[in-house]
């Protein structure tokens, strides 16, 4: 009974993070399952299968709250599913550890840029939205779907920051669209894994508990995305990108424990200071607007 409650809580918080930030369900849930001593292969198979249901619930919730961009969904769903299926079928036995550090470094730098853009762009400036083209979305979906299947996760961590780096886009719609399209990616990856690896690694108890927690969290996360200001969401996503990828970077470099914790502390301080600065900036902007309206 205790393990049942713990796994439901794991599924709830993993989906809450993923649904509100557009990434990290796999990273969060797999890490927590591994912390309980579950074998990596079983944890990965269980998480991928659970994602089929949780991403479906998340997608429906985001559509209901209007957090989607139809152009992104139409352009990325099929290529993402194809990339995930190919990765699961043909490369499930090939380690993605070789390319992980390079992807992590790229995403880490992208996270810094996202935070910089949301912190330092003018508050009163509203850039006109520039529609995404298929020439950009299709290759991105193929790469992100492929990485999701071969690297144990990657659809959200790759798609969300790259799309957010596009100026003039609405943050909540990027997050909602990435979560909605992830259903097809998770389904294709799961089918590919079952074809290449079989069903023997699936623990249906863990899958069911992760699904239960995720189903509860999905509508809550979609609602949070709708009501949280886009600039605040941008800072949260940027910080999540930095924290998740810094772990891969520091372990690939081979730093000592002291060096690793120093890097973590530096990333957290940078994220926290940026958040405080943005809140102060927004507060000053609101104060000036009120003063001008009263005068």
């Amino acid at each position: 009974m205790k393990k049942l409650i713990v796994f439901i809580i794991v599924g709830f918080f993993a989906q809450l993070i993923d649904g509100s930030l557009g990434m990290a369900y796999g990273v969060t849930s797999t890490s927590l399952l591994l912390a309980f001593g579950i074998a990596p292969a079983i944890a990965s198979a269980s998480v991928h299968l659970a994602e089929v249901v949780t991403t479906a619930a998340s997608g429906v919730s985001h559509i209901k709250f209007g957090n989607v961009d139809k152009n992104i969904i139409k352009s990325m769903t099929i290529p993402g599913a194809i990339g995930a299926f190919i990765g699961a079928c043909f490369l499930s036995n090939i380690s993605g550890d070789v390319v992980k550090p390079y992807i992590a470094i790229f995403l880490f730098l992208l996270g810094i840029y996202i935070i910089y853009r949301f912190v330092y762009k003018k508050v009163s400036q509203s850039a006109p939205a520039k529609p995404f083209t298929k020439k950009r979305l299709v290759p991105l979906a193929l790469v992100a779907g492929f990485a999701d299947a071969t690297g144990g996760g990657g659809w959200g961590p790759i798609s969300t920051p790259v799309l957010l780096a596009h100026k003039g886009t609405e943050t909540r719609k990027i997050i909602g669209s990435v979560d909605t399209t992830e259903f097809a990616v998770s389904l294709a990856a799961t089918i590919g894994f079952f074809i290449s690896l079989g069903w023997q690694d699936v623990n249906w108890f863990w899958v069911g508990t992760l699904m239960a927690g995720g189903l509860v969290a999905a509508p809550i996360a979609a609602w949070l995305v709708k009501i949280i200001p886009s600039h605040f969401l941008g800072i949260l996503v940027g910080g999540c990108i930095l924290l998740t990828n810094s772990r891969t970077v520091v372990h690939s470099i081979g730093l000592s424990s002291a060096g690793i914790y120093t890097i973590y502390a530096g990333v957290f301080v940078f994220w926290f200071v940026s958040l405080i600065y943005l809140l102060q900036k927004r507060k000053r902007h609101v104060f000036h607007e009120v003063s001008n309206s009263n005068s």
Side-chain angles (χ1 to χ4, degrees), residues 146-171:
F146 186 83
D148 189 82
T150 58
W155 180 252
I158 292 176
S159 299
T160 301
V162 171
L163 293 176
L164 275 178
H166 183 82
K167 295 183 178 180
T169 55
E170 199 170 355
T171 305

Side-chain angles (χ1 to χ4, degrees), residues 161-197:
V162 171
L163 293 176
L164 275 178
H166 183 82
K167 295 183 178 180
T169 55
E170 199 170 355
T171 305
R172 70 181 182 91
K173 290 195 174 183
I174 288 177
I175 293 173
S177 299
V178 170
D179 268 1
T180 302
T181 51
E182 193 173 8
F183 165 72
V185 174
S186 300
L187 180 61
T190 300
I191 294 173
F193 278 124
F194 285 158
I195 291 175
S196 59
L197 300 177

Side-chain angles (χ1 to χ4, degrees), residues 37-240:
I38 298 170
I42 300 176
S44 178
S46 301
V47 167
H48 270 91
L49 185 55
E51 275 190 300
V52 175
V53 174
T54 58
T55 53
S58 182
V60 171
S61 300
H62 279 298
I63 292 173
K64 180 180 178 180
F65 285 107
N67 300 332
V68 294
D69 184 310
K70 293 182 180 179
N71 180 41
I72 295 176
I73 293 176
K74 290 179 180 178
S75 301
M76 293 188 68
T77 299
I78 295 178
I82 292 174
F85 182 80
I86 293 175
C89 282
F90 298 104
L91 296 177
S92 58
N93 295 319
I94 297 179
S95 174
D97 292 339
V98 177
V99 297
K100 271 186 179 180
Y102 300 99
I103 296 176
I105 292 172
F106 168 72
L107 293 175
F108 185 86
L109 296 175
L110 203 55
I112 294 176
Y113 169 74
I114 290 170
I115 290 180
Y116 174 84
R117 183 166 75 85
F118 278 95
V119 170
Y120 292 101
K121 73 175 183 178
K122 294 181 179 180
V123 178
S124 59
Q125 181 183 11
S126 58
K130 299 177 182 179
F132 292 100
T133 62
K134 287 188 176 181
K135 290 182 179 180
R136 296 184 61 185
L137 293 177
V138 171
L140 172 62
L142 285 169
V143 172
F146 186 83
D148 189 82
T150 58
W155 180 252
I158 292 176
S159 299
T160 301
V162 171
L163 293 176
L164 275 178
H166 183 82
K167 295 183 178 180
T169 55
E170 199 170 355
T171 305
R172 70 181 182 91
K173 290 195 174 183
I174 288 177
I175 293 173
S177 299
V178 170
D179 268 1
T180 302
T181 51
E182 193 173 8
F183 165 72
V185 174
S186 300
L187 180 61
T190 300
I191 294 173
F193 278 124
F194 285 158
I195 291 175
S196 59
L197 300 177
W199 298 78
Q200 65 272 13
D201 288 334
V202 176
N203 186 301
W204 293 102
F205 170 78
W206 296 329
V207 171
T209 52
L210 290 173
M211 285 181 180
L215 287 173
V216 176
I220 299 175
W223 174 72
L224 289 174
V225 169
K226 184 175 179 63
I227 65 171
I228 296 176
S230 61
H231 56 274
F232 190 69
L233 274 175
I235 295 295
L236 292 178
V237 172
C240 184

